[in-house]
Amino acid sequence: MKKILVCGVLFASTTAIASQPEAYTDTALIKPAVKQAGGFTGPGRGEVYTAAKALEAKDDTPAVLTGYIVESLGDEEYRFKDESGEIIVEIDNDDWRGISATPDTKLTLLGEIDSEWTSTSMDVDVVSLAD
């Protein structure tokens, strides 16, 4: 009976110690793993940043365009214009995330290039107001 009681106490104390969010060692405090925020923000390999470059890019190339939506073409398609030219962009209704825009609203669009046999467009994942 004593062996069962001792085993139960050891198991309970081991479980209690192991479930602590922090543990001390001789040299330092060991913190639990925390999901880190942040990281690199800037140009990446193969990304395009202008409408003209987007029209030349391969299918599925990441794109970050800043400019203006100048016309709605219907069926979630829009004509986008920046200083380099124009490209057709497809923005799902839920990707607007409450942003209202006019042809005078400067936007930043994040997505990827959709290159077909006869046309190239951009499939937008994120719409945000430009700085």
Side-chain angles (χ1 to χ4, degrees):
M1 184 68 170
K2 287 182 181 180
K3 289 181 182 178
I4 293 174
L5 182 60
V6 170
C7 288
V9 170
L10 285 174
F11 177 76
S13 64
T14 304
T15 304
I17 291 171
S19 67
Q20 296 294 321
E22 301 177 337
Y24 290 94
T25 66
D26 321 349
T27 57
L29 174 67
I30 301 172
K31 296 275 185 182
V34 177
K35 184 176 181 183
Q36 293 183 359
F40 177 73
T41 303
R45 178 177 242 162
E47 290 180 344
V48 294
Y49 295 97
T50 66
K53 291 289 185 186
L55 290 170
E56 299 170 1
K58 294 181 181 180
D59 192 38
D60 295 327
T61 299
V64 181
L65 303 182
T66 300
Y68 305 89
I69 292 178
V70 294
E71 180 183 8
S72 172
L73 304 174
D75 198 27
E76 300 180 339
E77 288 190 340
Y78 304 87
R79 185 176 314 280
F80 174 87
K81 182 176 183 174
D82 66 9
E83 70 280 349
S84 72
E86 295 183 354
I87 187 171
I88 304 301
V89 296
E90 181 183 330
I91 307 172
D92 294 339
N93 290 329
D94 57 337
D95 289 335
W96 283 98
R97 295 183 176 96
I99 293 176
S100 296
T102 69
D104 297 321
T105 307
K106 192 171 187 179
L107 301 170
T108 298
L109 308 179
L110 282 72
E112 57 278 335
I113 302 305
D114 187 16
S115 184
E116 305 281 331
W117 285 99
T118 58
S119 66
T120 299
S121 63
M122 178 179 171
D123 185 17
V124 177
D125 298 318
V126 177
V127 177
S128 61
L129 295 173
D131 295 333

